Amino acid sequence: MANILIAGGGIGGLAAALSVARQGHRATVLERSDVFGEVGAGIQLGPNAFHALDSLGVGAAVRARAVLIDELQFMDGTTGERIARMPLTGAYRERFGNPYAVVHRGDLYQALLDACRAHPAVTLLGGHYVVRYEQTDKNGEGADGGSGGVTAVTCTGRAFHGDVLVGADGIRSAVRRQLVGDGDPRVSGHTIYRSVIPMDQVPRELRWNSVTLWAGPKWHFVHYPIAGGKCLNLAATRDDAASEAVAGLPVPAEAVVAEFPELGHAARRLLELGKGWRAWVLCDRDPVTGWTDGRVTLLGDAAHPMLQYAAQGACMALEDAVLLGELLRGAEPGEPALERRLEKYNAARSERTARTQLVAREMGRQLYHPVGEAARARNRMLCSLTADELYDKVAWLHAGVR
């Protein structure tokens, strides 16, 4: 049984803890916040996410909290015309083996948290922000007096010794800063405004069981039901050349509505219902091929942060966690092969996650925000595709890596 330290108690960190614990190891999660919890609004989960969640033993719990979506709709945000639709029942579920769903981030997080709390090999420690790590060989001594392995040092100076350290501490990961050293995240220049409203405030004719995207010139607006259909998640994004990262900044409702003057009637009715808006400036990083250093590796946004446009950020983190656990199956604390197991994990994940990062960027540019003739060409292309052809285009992502 190895002792796996995990920096970060978000979705990826908890999934990693659960994954390695289910493979017979101890997992110690070192979370920055005093209380384990998840902020945010809605999140989309493709079938590949459910493959991972099932492997972690929490698929049923997440399905119970999720809304299984009937279709993805792509709309012209100015005219209100439906450009394309991708059905997500029947043939889609048969092909990919699981549904496409939407869920509140807190509901997904709670399912993982409950499972971690119930597992005797998982220890959750709040108020421990990992700022750096130290490594020694198997005959050396760690910073806390332990022998070999890796030591995670927190902002208080406290040291935790383990056999492996997983940096799951997000896009501004301190573990990544030491391991990769590639500076601050890349600011995309896109600002997203998010709100969640009670479904009973939404006109009945607009309560669609779909993920609906309204695309306009350098902006788009997405909405879908969450919380078992009790709420509607609203997310409006503008390509506004924002140059500084912002996270959760409160914004008056009238200011958000003013940002989207071209939005058509039906979509505007929904946008105008939004309350308690908050803004984020989206960030990501360029892909890197190497995110493992000896007995230290990265996972989720610490390894491959991506823009929202492929709706795969959490899905990729869940996939990471499952594979990491599988590759650590049977590992012993002192074995030299631990490093090779982490290198194999890195090699197996880097190409798929890098492709997803770059595709997410291009989707924002080519599908969500084009202007003029480029937008008209996009519409013609999407209109020409059958449901099966749309399935073919997403198969590399949604089928997962089973």
Side-chain angles (χ1 to χ4, degrees):
M1 175 185 289
N3 182 22
I4 314 299
L5 304 176
I6 299 168
I11 288 170
L14 293 187
L18 190 57
S19 183
V20 299
R22 287 168 63 87
Q23 296 298 341
H25 303 297
R26 294 188 303 273
T28 302
V29 181
L30 304 172
E31 163 58 22
R32 179 175 193 162
S33 300
D34 292 332
V35 178
F36 280 75
E38 180 73 12
V39 298
I43 189 170
Q44 299 180 50
L45 297 176
N48 58 314
F50 281 105
H51 300 329
L53 291 166
D54 287 338
S55 295
L56 296 172
V58 296
V62 175
R63 286 184 187 86
R65 295 171 165 93
V67 177
L68 307 188
I69 292 296
D70 291 338
E71 63 180 0
L72 301 179
Q73 295 191 96
F74 194 98
M75 316 288 283
D76 186 305
T78 55
T79 67
E81 175 189 6
R82 184 163 71 179
I83 304 303
R85 62 182 292 269
M86 186 166 77
L88 299 176
T89 56
Y92 176 90
R93 295 181 187 176
E94 181 177 351
R95 176 166 179 174
F96 297 121
N98 256 313
Y100 194 101
V102 290
V103 65
H104 194 287
R105 291 186 71 92
D107 289 336
L108 170 60
Y109 186 86
Q110 193 63 48
L112 291 166
L113 183 61
D114 289 346
C116 284
R117 285 175 170 162
H119 201 294
V122 177
T123 300
L124 304 175
L125 299 177
H128 291 285
Y129 174 42
V130 174
V131 296
R132 61 184 176 88
Y133 63 85
E134 300 172 0
Q135 294 197 76
T136 55
D137 63 34
K138 63 181 179 180
N139 297 314
E141 185 174 277
D144 65 347
S147 60
V150 60
T151 299
V153 182
T154 71
C155 58
T156 64
R158 185 172 175 185
F160 293 84
H161 184 76
D163 301 297
V164 168
L165 171 63
V166 180
D169 45 344
I171 191 171
R172 291 174 177 80
S173 165
V175 179
R176 182 189 178 111
R177 184 169 60 246
Q178 181 175 345
L179 195 159
V180 180
D182 56 350
D184 293 332
R186 185 191 74 103
V187 179
S188 70
H190 299 178
T191 300
I192 182 169
Y193 304 93
R194 294 186 172 109
S195 173
V196 175
I197 59 174
M199 190 63 77
D200 60 15
Q201 295 181 11
V202 178
R204 290 193 175 275
E205 65 272 19
L206 297 178
R207 298 180 189 178
W208 304 338
N209 189 38
S210 67
V211 174
T212 302
L213 184 148
W214 308 80
K218 291 194 172 184
W219 56 262
H220 75 277
F221 174 44
V222 176
H223 54 85
Y224 50 82
I226 58 173
K230 297 177 182 178
C231 295
L232 187 69
N233 184 75
L234 308 175
T237 303
R238 176 165 285 283
D239 182 350
D240 57 2
S243 59
E244 295 185 9
V246 169
L249 180 70
V251 181
E254 58 271 19
V256 175
V257 173
E259 285 288 327
F260 302 90
E262 311 101 326
L263 192 61
H265 176 67
R268 178 165 296 279
R269 290 173 66 192
L270 292 174
L271 188 71
E272 290 175 345
L273 294 174
K275 298 174 182 177
W277 290 96
R278 291 184 178 272
W280 284 257
V281 173
L282 300 175
C283 298
D284 69 353
R285 291 184 184 272
D286 293 330
V288 294
T289 56
W291 65 63
T292 292
D293 169 24
R295 293 195 177 195
V296 182
T297 194
L298 303 176
L299 180 146
D301 281 352
H304 42 71
M306 58 191 66
L307 300 180
Q308 64 183 23
Y309 301 119
Q312 281 286 317
C315 303
M316 289 294 112
L318 293 168
E319 287 186 3
D320 289 350
V322 170
L323 181 62
L324 181 63
E326 290 174 350
L327 290 175
L328 289 177
R329 181 186 299 127
E332 295 297 332
E335 69 170 70
L338 266 175
E339 290 89 342
R340 293 195 291 273
R341 291 172 187 259
L342 297 184
E343 290 167 0
K344 186 174 181 180
Y345 154 74
N346 186 163
R349 293 298 297 157
S350 59
E351 182 177 350
R352 176 169 169 81
T353 57
R355 182 182 179 187
T356 310
Q357 286 177 282
L358 297 177
V359 164
R361 285 184 186 176
E362 286 304 299
M363 288 178 69
R365 185 177 68 85
Q366 297 184 32
L367 291 181
Y368 288 24
H369 297 152
V371 178
E373 179 52 35
R376 290 188 285 274
R378 171 206 62 201
N379 290 355
R380 291 193 295 270
M381 181 274 293
L382 290 176
C383 281
S384 72
L385 298 175
T386 66
D388 284 339
E389 289 169 334
L390 288 169
Y391 299 160
D392 290 342
K393 286 188 174 295
V394 301
W396 70 277
L397 269 179
H398 291 195
V401 288
R402 291 174 293 170

